[in-house]
Amino acid sequence: MLGRFPVALSLSRSLLRGSSSGRRGLSAMAGGGEEGQLGGFFEYMERLRNYERSGVPRGAGTDSDDGFDLGRMRRLLRRLGDPHTHFPAVHIAGTKGKGSTAAFLSNIMREQGYNVGCYSSPHLLTIRERISVGNDGGPVPVGLLSDLFDQAKEAIDESIESENGALTHFEVFTALSFLLFSRENVDIAIVEAGLGGARDATNVIQSTELAASVITTVGKEHLDALGGSLQSIAIAKSGIIKQGRPVVIGGPFSVDIEQIFRDRAFLTQSPVISACDPGIKSITKCIDWDNGKPYQCCDISINISDDVPLSIELCDVNLQLLGDHQCQNAVTASCTALCLRNLGWDISDASIQAGLEETQLPGRSQFLTQEEALVLGLDGASTVLIDGAHTEASAKALSNVIETVRLEGPLALVVGMANDKEHLAFAEQLLVGSRPDVVLLTEASIAGGASRAMPAPSLKEIWMSAARDLGINCVDIGTISGAETPEHIANLATSSSSFAGKPTVMIGCQDKTPFSCDLIRAASQLILESRGGGDASPGLVCVTGSLHVVATVLQHLEGH
C-alpha cells in the first residue's frame, strides 16, 4: 500500500453542503435552449479575463516571476471553503493525451461504481462539457451549475474585488468545479491541468489530497508561455509531482526529458511508474468496423515489479479511440488505475477493460455515422472524419489514424487553424503520410475573433510550399465557396487531376467567409471526381486543424 487512499472526507462549511442531486448529465453534445437558464452565468464569465481568447502571455506557465499567481487561486478557494481539500484527486498534465487519459480513467472508475468528478478543457459546444460528475460522464446539468453559481457568486465577487479584477475565467471555473465535486461528495476527482503544471490554476492540489500525478507527453505547444524549450515545458509539468505521491509518466520521452521527471520525483520521494516500462506490452491486432465506425482491437499486458508492482493482462480490448497514441494513452490510464488499486481502491480487471472500451471523445478521431453524413449533404460515397488536431505531433497521430483506416479510396483534407500554430510542420505531417488528393483551406472561427484565425489564403500558400518542398505535385485550384455546382466541381477536378502525367494534389481555399459545412460536400465531390467515375472506392474527408472547426460541424449536426 502506497498511502492512505481511499478515505472518507467530511464537509464542514455551509457553502460546501449539498447532497448528490441524482440527476444524470446531459449528452456530450448538449447545448440547446435549456442553457438559457445560464444566461447570467455566461455574461458574468464573459467579463473575466480569458486567455483562451486573447492568447497566453509569455512565461505565464513557468515557475517564475512571469508565471500565473497561484496565491490568487488559493485565496479564492479559501473564500469558498477550500473545497479542493475534500476529495482525493488524480492530477493529469501533458502536451497531448491528457484529455484522453482523463476520459479513460474516469470511465474505469465509473465502471467500478465510484462517484467520479472530472474536470477537463477545452470544450466543443458548451462549457458544461468541462465538468462532469456522477456515473454517466455527461456535461454538468444546467440546473446544478446554475444553483452552484448562485450560491458561490457573493464569495467570487468579494475575491474579484480584493484581487483588483485580476481573477481569470479559468481560475473561477476551476474553483467552481472543485466546489461542485465537494458538494456532490465525489469519491475521486480526475483533474486535467490547463497549461503546463507548476503554475496552472489546478495545481492547488497538495500531497494531502493527491492520489497520483500523471504526465502524458511533452511537446512544443505553448512554447513561449512555458519557457521556450522542451526542457522548460517538462519542468513546468513536473510541478504537479507532490511529496510522497506516485507519478505515472506516459511517453515515450527522450532520456533528458524523462530524467527531469525522475529528478523531481527523487526530490519529492515519489514512486515513478512508467507506461513505457519494458514490462509493458501493447499491440493492435486488427482494425474492424461496427455500425459504420472503426475500432482497434488491442492486447495490453502490464507486468511491473519495480517501486510499485503492477500486473494485468487484457485481451481483445476494443478501443473506440484510434491510433498508436490512443493505445499508449489507454496503457497510461491502466497503469494509473492499477496504481490506485495499490493504494486501496477496489478496481477490477473487468472494470479497467470496460472503461477503456466505453471511452469516446467527440471531435477526436470521430467518424460520423452515415446518417450524420447525410445531414451534411453527402450521399454516402464518402466517410467523414473530424479531429481537432492542431500541432505537429497531433497531425502525425492523425496521419497514423488515416493510414490505418483508409483503404484505396481518395482523401480530402479540410483544414482551418489559429494563427499561433506550427502551420508548416502540421502540413508536412499530413502530406507525407496518406497523401491527400484534395486539400481545402478555410478560416476557423477561433475564440478571440478574426485576430487569432489564420487567413485561408495564407494557409494555402503554406500548404503549396510544403507540398513543393516534399516533391509532391500540386495545383492551385483557387478559391471555392462550397456552393459550386456539380458541373463546376467536375470541371475543376478534370482540369487538375494530373500534372505531367503524375498524381497531383489539388489545393484550394474557401473564399472570405468562415468555415461552413458546405466545404465538406465540395471536398467530397472533388475527390470523387478526381478519381473518375469508374473508381468505386469510398472517399474519406477529414476535417481538422482546430477544435473550433470541429465544433462547427458538431453544431450543424446538433441543429438538425
Side-chain angles (χ1 to χ4, degrees), residues 26 30-39 42 125-129 142:
L26 303 179
E34 188 181 15
E35 292 207 339
Q37 300 175 39
L38 290 170
F42 291 141
L125 300 184
T126 167
I127 196 171
R128 295 187 297 107
E129 295 167 26
V142 167

Side-chain angles (χ1 to χ4, degrees), residues 284-298 316-323 357 367 404-405:
T284 297
K285 298 193 296 184
C286 67
I287 302 293
D288 211 338
W289 293 75
D290 181 35
N291 194 29
K293 292 189 175 186
Y295 65 88
Q296 57 184 350
C297 181
C298 309
D316 298 329
V317 183
N318 295 327
L319 295 180
Q320 298 184 68
L321 298 182
L322 302 180
E357 292 183 334
F367 285 80
T404 299
V405 302

Side-chain angles (χ1 to χ4, degrees), residues 302-366:
I302 300 174
N303 289 288
I304 301 176
S305 57
D306 293 338
D307 294 352
V308 185
L310 306 177
S311 179
I312 195 170
E313 299 287 337
L314 300 175
C315 297
D316 298 329
V317 183
N318 295 327
L319 295 180
Q320 298 184 68
L321 298 182
L322 302 180
D324 293 341
H325 62 299
Q326 293 294 5
C327 190
Q328 180 64 23
N329 291 334
V331 169
T332 302
S334 299
C335 286
T336 309
L338 294 173
C339 180
L340 292 176
R341 184 156 77 184
N342 223 325
L343 291 167
W345 296 83
D346 181 17
I347 305 172
S348 68
D349 291 3
S351 291
I352 293 176
Q353 178 152 349
L356 297 178
E357 292 183 334
E358 285 295 316
T359 301
Q360 52 187 323
L361 286 174
R364 282 80 162 182
S365 297
Q366 179 182 352

Side-chain angles (χ1 to χ4, degrees), residues 50-71:
N50 189 343
Y51 290 119
E52 290 180 34
R53 292 183 178 275
S54 62
V56 183
R58 181 181 292 270
T62 59
D63 198 9
S64 69
D65 292 341
D66 295 327
F68 289 133
D69 180 8
L70 273 183

Side-chain angles (χ1 to χ4, degrees), residues 20-27 30 34 110 128 132-144 184:
S20 176
S21 66
R23 287 176 287 184
R24 298 175 66 82
L26 303 179
S27 158
E34 188 181 15
R110 291 188 190 104
R128 295 187 297 107
S132 65
V133 64
N135 62 4
D136 76 339
V140 56
V142 167
L144 196 57
E184 294 295 294

Side-chain angles (χ1 to χ4, degrees), residues 153-317:
K153 183 177 179 299
E154 182 178 352
I156 296 172
D157 286 340
E158 292 171 356
S159 288
I160 290 174
E161 183 177 357
S162 67
E163 301 292 348
N164 297 316
L167 276 171
T168 67
H169 184 285
F170 187 77
E171 288 167 336
V172 170
F173 202 71
T174 300
L176 285 172
S177 73
F178 290 161
L179 182 60
L180 180 66
F181 295 159
S182 180
R183 285 191 55 196
E184 294 295 294
N185 297 314
V186 299
D187 297 312
I188 191 168
I190 313 301
V191 179
E192 180 186 333
L195 176 75
R199 288 295 185 96
D200 187 73
T202 60
N203 203 33
V204 292
I205 301 168
Q206 296 302 306
S207 58
T208 49
E209 299 94 48
L210 186 68
S213 301
V214 182
I215 302 174
T216 56
T217 61
V218 170
K220 295 178 181 179
E221 193 171 14
H222 301 302
L223 201 63
D224 289 343
L226 294 172
S229 69
L230 287 177
Q231 289 73 21
S232 65
I233 291 174
I235 290 169
K237 296 186 188 306
S238 72
I240 71 168
I241 301 173
K242 299 300 192 318
Q243 187 68 37
R245 308 312 303 159
V247 55
V248 178
I249 55 175
F253 301 107
S254 62
V255 173
D256 59 326
I257 296 299
E258 182 167 334
Q259 194 59 49
I260 289 171
F261 300 141
R262 292 189 176 274
D263 288 346
R264 169 73 179 182
F266 177 78
L267 290 174
T268 57
Q269 299 178 299
S270 301
V272 178
I273 299 109
S274 171
C276 291
D277 187 278
I280 297 176
K281 307 294 181 186
S282 63
I283 181 172
T284 297
K285 298 193 296 184
C286 67
I287 302 293
D288 211 338
W289 293 75
D290 181 35
N291 194 29
K293 292 189 175 186
Y295 65 88
Q296 57 184 350
C297 181
C298 309
D299 286 346
I300 296 174
S301 171
I302 300 174
N303 289 288
I304 301 176
S305 57
D306 293 338
D307 294 352
V308 185
L310 306 177
S311 179
I312 195 170
E313 299 287 337
L314 300 175
C315 297
D316 298 329
V317 183

Side-chain angles (χ1 to χ4, degrees), residues 344-404:
W345 296 83
D346 181 17
I347 305 172
S348 68
D349 291 3
S351 291
I352 293 176
Q353 178 152 349
L356 297 178
E357 292 183 334
E358 285 295 316
T359 301
Q360 52 187 323
L361 286 174
R364 282 80 162 182
S365 297
Q366 179 182 352
F367 285 80
L368 301 188
T369 65
Q370 187 173 14
E371 291 78 8
E372 289 169 333
L374 288 172
V375 170
L376 297 178
L378 277 65
D379 58 5
S382 294
T383 300
V384 180
L385 164 63
I386 58 176
D387 188 283
H390 53 269
T391 68
E392 180 180 7
S394 58
K396 184 176 181 179
L398 174 58
S399 181
N400 170 255
V401 170
I402 292 172
E403 287 191 73
T404 299

